[in-house]
């Protein structure tokens, strides 16, 4: 059993990278749930804007929490950096796939990504065992 656990387990030691991995996993799960809602109900794509913000917010909170817990110190810092990188990656994907330009709303989204993820990092570093 220990051999299987060693072979299957995947652990990233860098707090920012592990937070990003967890954030993108939770974003993927949220996107999958939202697409199932679209498929199984009469919901339209235009009704999803609030829900996508909720999914991104929860993903940022979890990513910051994991980054803060893995760092063991300066949870707001590691969580905030995780949020900035997450936000930049989402903006880059939007720029490359939708040909969207950068505007002032994007900087506001980056700032809110920093604060949400930093809050998760604060909670994460305080759950670290002494």
């Amino acid at each position: 059993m220990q051999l299987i656990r060693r072979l299957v387990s995947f652990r990233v030691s860098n707090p920012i990278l592990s937070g990003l991995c967890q954030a993108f996993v939770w974003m993927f799960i949220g996107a999958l749930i939202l697409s199932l809602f679209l498929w199984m109900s009469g919901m339209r794509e235009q009704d999803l804007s609030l829900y996508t913000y909720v999914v991104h917010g929860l993903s940022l909170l979890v990513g910051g929490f994991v980054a803060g817990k893995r760092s063991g110190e300066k949870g707001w810092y590691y969580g905030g950096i995780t949020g900035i990188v997450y936000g930049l990656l989402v903006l880059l994907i939007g720029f490359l796939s939708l040909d969207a330009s950068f505007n002032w709303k994007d900087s506001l989204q980056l700032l809110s990504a920093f604060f949400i993820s930093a809050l998760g990092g604060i909670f994460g570093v305080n759950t670290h065992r002494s």
Side-chain angles (χ1 to χ4, degrees):
M1 189 68 173
Q2 190 70 2
L3 177 65
I4 294 172
R5 208 175 284 153
R6 246 187 271 156
L7 288 175
V8 175
S9 72
F10 179 70
R11 185 166 172 96
V12 180
S13 61
N14 187 351
I16 296 171
L17 193 57
S18 64
L20 279 175
C21 289
Q22 285 291 321
F24 277 108
V25 164
W26 282 97
M27 183 186 64
F28 174 75
I29 291 170
L32 185 65
I33 290 171
L34 287 180
S35 63
L36 286 174
F37 280 159
L38 277 175
W39 179 53
M40 293 183 166
S41 69
M43 191 183 290
R44 297 176 305 152
E45 287 184 28
Q46 292 81 12
D47 301 333
L48 285 180
S49 63
L50 174 67
Y51 299 116
T52 55
Y53 284 123
V54 169
V55 166
H56 282 295
L58 289 175
S59 299
L60 284 165
L61 198 63
V62 168
F65 183 86
V66 169
K69 187 170 182 167
R70 290 274 169 93
S71 71
E73 60 183 17
K74 296 182 187 174
W76 69 272
Y77 176 75
Y78 286 105
I81 297 260
T82 303
I84 292 289
V85 173
Y86 178 92
L88 286 174
L89 285 173
V90 168
L91 286 177
L92 181 68
I93 290 169
F95 174 73
L96 293 176
S97 64
L98 302 174
D99 197 27
S101 61
F102 188 78
N103 55 20
W104 67 272
K105 288 182 184 178
D106 296 332
S107 60
L108 185 63
Q109 288 175 349
L110 279 175
L111 188 65
S112 64
F114 173 81
F115 283 121
I116 291 171
S117 195
L119 182 67
I122 290 169
F123 289 134
V125 77
N126 287 322
T127 61
H128 195 269
R129 293 182 196 157
S130 309

